[in-house]
Amino acid sequence: MEITIAKTAGFCFGVRRAVKLAEDAAEMYAECATLGPIIHNRSVVEMLESKGVGQINGAADASPGQAVIIRSHGIGRAERETLEKTDAVIIDATCPDVAKIHTAVKAESEAGRTVVIIGERAHPEVKAIADWCERPVIAENAEEVQKWLDSAGEDDKNAVTVVSQTTGSRDNFENSVKCLKKECTNLKIIDTICRATSLRQEEARELSRRCDAMIVIGGRHSANSKRLADICRENCDKVFFIEDASELDAQGFTEAAHVGITAGASTPAWSIKEVYHKMIEENKVVMTEGETQETVQEEVN
């Protein structure tokens, strides 16, 4: 069996930075908590809890003097203002790419433009972005964009700025933009899809085309991990979406000559390592490749 680990699998820069800030806060402050889960990965949240990092559900729950870590998805303007009033120590772990979107949409909205956000309306990143705008439009796909165009007044469509959830699908964003171009003559396109996300999706697409089976590691609530699984399913008949090695039946790959492994941006190296080792221990592995796999081996050694 050949096992290939995607070179881009695992933590992105924003997630790595957020986790490091939370670990540092645990050492510096007697009491610290994240405002919601810092990332969508259960094992990482549990690891931080073991180091003394708690969790609060809302800004109003913060205590004076408590270190409160804003999660990588960011928070909206209203929640930020509430947090500042609590006199808590604020540690901003918002992904820098997400923070740039907040600044951009705030400026566009203040300039009188309608901001259209392409993303999952229930996702915390999208909710936060929307709260930095006046009357934002959230559309999950091109069909929803068209529904808004059909019902919107001319004033709303006169000056439009479109952005995307950072972990959004490139195809979905481009299809949504095509719809807007047809009716919005004053359209500003701000491409906010994270480069690491695009690379990870491209690699998952290419790898799944040449594998008999794919393993996608990621949190159940991780949007970018679920999207990786969807991309792999478009090209590979056997795709296994798991949170960690405990969910993997490694012996179920006996007929696969080539297995690919990829992981979402919030998946830690140790989860990839555990899955990889479970596979090589229970299957006859002929060859492995990929920079991430080499990194995993170094960590094991």
Side-chain angles (χ1 to χ4, degrees):
M1 177 189 292
E2 176 183 352
I3 299 178
T4 302
I5 301 179
K7 295 178 182 179
T8 54
F11 276 1
C12 63
F13 165 76
V15 168
R16 188 178 296 109
R17 172 180 173 272
V19 173
K20 180 65 166 56
L21 285 171
E23 290 177 320
D24 291 345
E27 295 181 0
M28 293 175 60
Y29 299 95
E31 184 181 1
C32 64
T34 60
L35 184 49
I38 192 161
I39 59 173
H40 283 150
N41 187 279
R42 182 185 60 196
S43 63
V44 173
V45 171
E46 291 174 351
M47 178 273 290
L48 290 174
E49 287 177 349
S50 71
K51 294 187 176 185
V53 181
Q55 189 177 143
I56 57 175
N57 295 321
D61 297 328
S63 304
Q66 180 185 35
V68 176
I69 306 150
I70 298 175
R71 58 185 174 181
S72 59
H73 303 113
I75 58 176
R77 173 163 38 192
E79 195 163 29
R80 178 83 189 208
E81 291 173 353
T82 299
L83 184 59
E84 290 173 347
K85 291 177 183 177
T86 65
D87 290 328
V89 177
I90 300 174
I91 300 173
D92 195 347
T94 304
C95 170
D97 287 340
V98 174
K100 289 178 183 177
I101 302 176
H102 293 176
T103 301
V105 298
K106 181 176 181 291
E108 295 296 299
S109 184
E110 289 175 349
R113 300 180 67 86
T114 300
V115 176
V116 176
I117 306 165
I118 309 300
E120 299 175 25
R121 58 175 50 82
H123 195 280
E125 178 190 321
V126 174
K127 288 182 176 180
I129 293 170
D131 197 43
W132 289 95
C133 313
E134 298 293 336
R135 298 184 300 109
V137 176
I138 301 174
E140 298 200 350
N141 48 48
E143 290 73 19
E144 291 191 7
V145 170
Q146 190 58 56
K147 286 182 180 179
W148 173 71
L149 288 170
D150 292 341
S151 62
E154 290 304 315
D155 288 344
D156 291 328
K157 295 187 289 185
N158 181 49
V160 175
T161 298
V162 59
V163 299
S164 172
Q165 181 177 341
T166 56
T167 55
S169 160
R170 169 66 56 191
D171 290 342
N172 187 47
F173 182 63
E174 291 180 353
N175 289 334
S176 299
V177 168
K178 285 179 183 177
C179 283
L180 291 168
K181 283 182 175 179
K182 292 176 182 178
E183 297 189 38
C184 303
T185 55
N186 184 1
L187 175 66
K188 182 183 293 188
I189 303 165
I190 304 179
D191 188 347
T192 54
I193 294 179
C194 170
R195 174 170 168 74
T197 293
S198 295
L199 289 174
R200 189 175 286 106
Q201 291 177 1
E202 290 170 10
E203 188 176 20
R205 184 173 292 108
E206 189 276 331
L207 183 58
S208 61
R209 285 172 179 163
R210 56 189 177 95
C211 288
D212 304 305
M214 286 292 300
I215 300 171
V216 180
I217 313 166
R220 286 280 176 266
H221 302 292
S222 169
N224 75 91
S225 296
K226 289 187 289 185
R227 196 158 289 116
L228 287 177
D230 289 341
I231 289 172
C232 290
R233 291 188 186 104
E234 294 173 1
N235 306 287
C236 184
D237 292 334
K238 292 185 178 180
V239 177
F240 301 87
F241 182 29
I242 61 174
E243 282 199 314
D244 53 46
S246 68
E247 299 180 1
L248 179 67
D249 178 11
Q251 294 182 343
F253 295 84
T254 53
E255 297 182 1
H258 191 180
V259 177
I261 299 176
T262 188
S266 54
T267 304
W270 69 75
S271 290
I272 303 171
K273 177 181 66 178
E274 289 170 355
V275 170
Y276 169 72
H277 275 283
K278 188 169 184 177
M279 287 295 293
I280 64 172
E281 287 168 3
E282 299 188 28
N283 295 280
K284 185 177 180 181
V285 177
V286 175
M287 181 183 73
T288 59
E289 62 180 59
E291 292 177 2
T292 304
Q293 175 262 319
E294 293 171 0
T295 302
V296 168
Q297 284 187 321
E298 288 176 5
E299 291 181 356
V300 173
N301 296 332

